[in-house]
């Protein structure tokens, strides 16, 4: 009986979450990420599950859960990625700020964002809501958009583009800040 009571006492006092190390945050503070994850200091370290943390982080559309590592007796490493706004799209008189995967980060009816990001035109959108991925009529267009945005970032050209024309994903055009129209072709070999 004493052994059981002692074991329960150790589990109740030693194996409690005391520290969370957040990896991958830039604009969010560690505290904001921890709050969004649902982790609370003092909770049993054995109750920390990656599935639960991932589900909680899905509620914040600006964070992507990348992993969780529990270090006994009382430490958790939480890895996240922050979504970054990279493009602007206009649809039904509303402007949508998109991330590289086509998730709507913000929506506005003003014109204050024009010129801050490349404007994506020609995408056939069915639905767009903040915190959700675009619903498009052509998945090929969305895939081409994602590939193009990633490649522009890798090659440091994103700041030199004012418009991305995706009317035909097999014949993509870019408009540079100097007003030059560049024919990219399809998204198969963007390098």
């Amino acid at each position: 009986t004493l052994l059981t009571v002692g074991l329960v006492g150790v589990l109740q006092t030693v194996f409690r979450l005391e520290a969370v190390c957040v990896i991958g945050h830039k604009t969010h503070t560690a505290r904001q990420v921890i709050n969004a994850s649902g982790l609370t200091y003092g909770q049993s370290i054995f109750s920390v599950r990656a599935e639960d943390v991932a589900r909680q982080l899905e509620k914040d559309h600006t964070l992507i859960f990348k992993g969780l590592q529990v270090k006994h007796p009382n430490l958790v490493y939480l890895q996240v990625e922050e979504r970054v706004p990279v493009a602007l799209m206009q649809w039904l008189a509303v402007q949508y700020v998109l991330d590289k995967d086509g998730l709507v980060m913000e929506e506005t009816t003003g014109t204050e964002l024009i010129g801050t990001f490349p404007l994506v035109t020609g995408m056939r959108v069915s639905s767009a809501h903040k915190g959700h991925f675009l619903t498009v009529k052509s998945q090929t267009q969305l895939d081409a958009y994602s590939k193009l945005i990633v490649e522009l970032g890798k090659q440091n050209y994103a700041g030199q583009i004012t418009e991305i024309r995706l009317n035909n994903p097999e014949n993509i055009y870019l408009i540079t800040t100097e007003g030059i129209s560049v024919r990219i072709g399809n998204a198969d070999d963007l390098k």
Side-chain angles (χ1 to χ4, degrees):
T1 305
L2 287 175
L3 184 62
T4 304
V5 170
L7 183 60
V8 170
V10 167
L11 289 175
Q12 294 293 328
T13 57
V14 175
F15 292 98
R16 294 286 178 196
L17 181 61
E18 290 181 14
V20 178
C21 181
V22 180
I23 303 165
H25 65 97
K26 293 177 181 125
T27 59
H28 291 75
T29 65
R31 168 63 38 211
Q32 289 171 324
V33 175
I34 293 166
N35 289 344
S37 73
L39 294 172
T40 56
Y41 293 111
Q43 80 180 77
S44 170
I45 198 77
F46 300 112
S47 69
V48 176
R49 295 183 358 175
E51 303 83 27
D52 296 337
V53 173
R55 194 175 318 108
Q56 282 296 114
L57 286 175
E58 282 177 2
K59 296 175 184 176
D60 185 339
H61 71 277
T62 62
L63 295 170
I64 302 169
F65 175 75
K66 288 297 196 179
L68 180 84
Q69 186 177 14
V70 177
K71 292 288 188 181
H72 295 290
N74 55 13
L75 174 64
V76 169
Y77 289 97
L78 173 59
Q79 186 172 5
V80 296
E81 179 183 328
E82 292 184 353
R83 293 189 183 275
V84 179
V86 295
L88 184 65
M89 182 192 74
Q90 294 178 329
W91 182 61
L92 300 177
V94 178
Q95 291 181 10
Y96 299 93
V97 178
L98 307 175
D99 82 333
K100 66 179 175 60
D101 300 316
L103 183 118
V104 178
M105 302 284 294
E106 297 291 330
E107 55 184 67
T108 179
T109 55
T111 59
E112 67 276 357
L113 296 175
I114 293 177
T116 56
F117 301 109
L119 179 65
V120 178
T121 60
M123 196 163 327
R124 294 183 291 277
V125 178
S126 301
S127 173
H129 301 287
K130 182 179 177 179
H132 298 280
F133 290 97
L134 288 175
T135 305
V136 294
K137 295 177 183 171
S138 170
Q139 187 61 38
T140 306
Q141 278 185 319
L142 192 55
D143 293 342
Y145 161 80
S146 293
K147 288 178 186 176
L148 182 62
I149 289 294
V150 168
E151 195 61 37
L152 287 172
K154 284 181 184 176
Q155 295 190 24
N156 293 322
Y157 285 127
Q160 299 175 30
I161 305 300
T162 58
E163 186 178 348
I164 300 170
R165 293 184 181 165
L166 286 169
N167 301 48
N168 179 358
E170 297 300 316
N171 200 17
I172 301 168
Y173 280 88
L174 301 178
I175 307 298
T176 68
T177 53
E178 292 85 22
I180 299 170
S181 178
V182 179
R183 182 180 177 273
I184 299 294
N186 63 31
D188 291 337
D189 189 20
L190 291 172
K191 291 180 184 178

